[in-house]
Amino acid sequence: EAQVTQNPRYLITVTGKKLTVTCSQNMNHEYMSWYRQDPGLGLRQIYYSMNVEVTDKGDVPEGYKVSRKEKRNFPLILESPSPNQTSLYFCASSARTGGMDTIYFGEGSWLTVV
Amino acid sequence: GQNIDQPTEMTATEGAIVQINCTYQTSGFNGLFWYQQHAGEAPTFLSYNVLDGLEEKGRFSSFLSRSKGYSYLLLKELQMKDSASYLCARNDYKLSFGAGTTVTVRA
């Protein structure tokens, strides 16, 4: 079954404590991305990756890092989380960009920073 | 962002029709997605328009005008389960979403 898996699904953490949200897809997709969703602001892209070792900033990259060492994994790293990073996070993947490809979303990760 | 604009909220009656408009920047544009999202859940795919015109899929239809940077999603025979947020997303080398339109269907 085609899947994008995120972990953890729910997390409460404290300011400044580094955390990583993992994302894995089993479809051999080239393109992966991270979004955050906040009330009234829709889905905003944090980072995206066109392929292994190719990553680029989205619209709201401040405070986040990513890596793409393997095709299937695209972890989101918060080196020093702050309360304004409390949000719902989605990982997504597709076979490629620029074409008519279905985008698959993970189930979302609810992150609270206190 | 990519200046993707859509109305914030719409309300309609069960059985009625609602049209959700979306405008976007045309430079570098490849296509326009529509997604449905229920609260707290991941977005689910509704349609993808690349060429101008109307595409119909059951109760949902989507229209695109590339030259005008304009799309709409038409929801017909509204049902209570259609109450959700509807997101338009512009596809270029990355995917950029509008803020979403919350549709409330009333009995």
Side-chain angles (χ1 to χ4, degrees):
Chain A
E1 181 190 351
Q3 270 189 326
V4 178
T5 304
Q6 302 177 219
N7 278 295
R9 294 287 319 282
Y10 305 92
L11 179 64
I12 300 175
T13 190
V14 296
T15 299
K17 184 177 180 181
K18 180 180 178 180
L19 71 92
T20 299
V21 186
T22 63
C23 175
S24 180
Q25 49 92 4
N26 63 358
M27 297 164 279
N28 201 36
H29 283 169
E30 291 183 353
Y31 180 86
M32 297 184 74
S33 62
W34 276 102
Y35 296 87
R36 61 177 289 173
Q37 187 169 35
D38 303 289
L41 296 176
L43 282 161
R44 294 182 293 167
Q45 192 174 57
I46 303 170
Y47 270 93
Y48 65 98
S49 170
M50 307 279 274
N51 213 325
V52 176
E53 302 291 0
V54 181
T55 64
D56 208 346
K57 296 177 181 178
D59 298 319
V60 287
E62 294 78 20
Y64 304 94
K65 285 173 59 178
V66 292
S67 68
R68 188 88 183 275
K69 296 187 172 67
E70 311 162 278
K71 206 169 191 179
R72 64 181 294 124
N73 295 323
F74 189 46
L76 179 69
I77 303 155
L78 286 73
E79 292 274 3
S80 182
S82 61
N84 65 13
Q85 291 178 298
T86 293
S87 188
L88 173 58
Y89 292 85
F90 287 103
C91 180
S93 76
S94 67
R96 59 190 174 97
T97 59
M100 191 161 51
D101 294 299
T102 302
I103 290 119
Y104 293 80
F105 284 89
E107 291 183 297
S109 295
W110 290 90
L111 173 64
T112 301
V113 184
V114 298
Chain B
Q2 298 293 323
N3 293 332
I4 301 165
D5 293 316
Q6 52 181 129
T8 304
E9 293 181 336
M10 301 182 78
T11 301
T13 307
E14 200 173 12
I17 298 173
V18 69
Q19 177 175 316
I20 306 169
N21 297 324
C22 173
T23 58
Y24 58 88
Q25 284 184 349
T26 57
S27 60
F29 173 81
N30 287 307
L32 199 290
F33 284 98
W34 282 97
Y35 281 84
Q36 180 191 61
Q37 186 180 27
H38 287 98
E41 299 180 6
T44 55
F45 172 82
L46 290 177
S47 67
Y48 183 61
N49 292 68
V50 177
L51 302 176
D52 285 357
L54 184 69
E55 291 197 8
E56 299 185 71
K57 286 184 183 180
R59 295 189 298 114
F60 292 3
S61 303
S62 56
F63 171 84
L64 179 69
S65 169
R66 293 179 68 105
S67 62
K68 294 182 180 176
Y70 168 69
S71 173
Y72 68 73
L73 180 70
L74 196 67
L75 315 180
K76 294 178 275 190
E77 300 170 20
L78 279 172
Q79 302 175 8
M80 299 299 286
K81 67 178 182 179
D82 297 331
S83 292
S85 183
Y86 292 85
L87 312 173
C88 68
R90 179 181 176 280
N91 186 22
D92 43 39
Y93 59 89
K94 60 175 185 172
L95 193 62
S96 299
F97 285 84
T101 300
T102 300
V103 172
T104 302
V105 181
R106 292 183 176 165

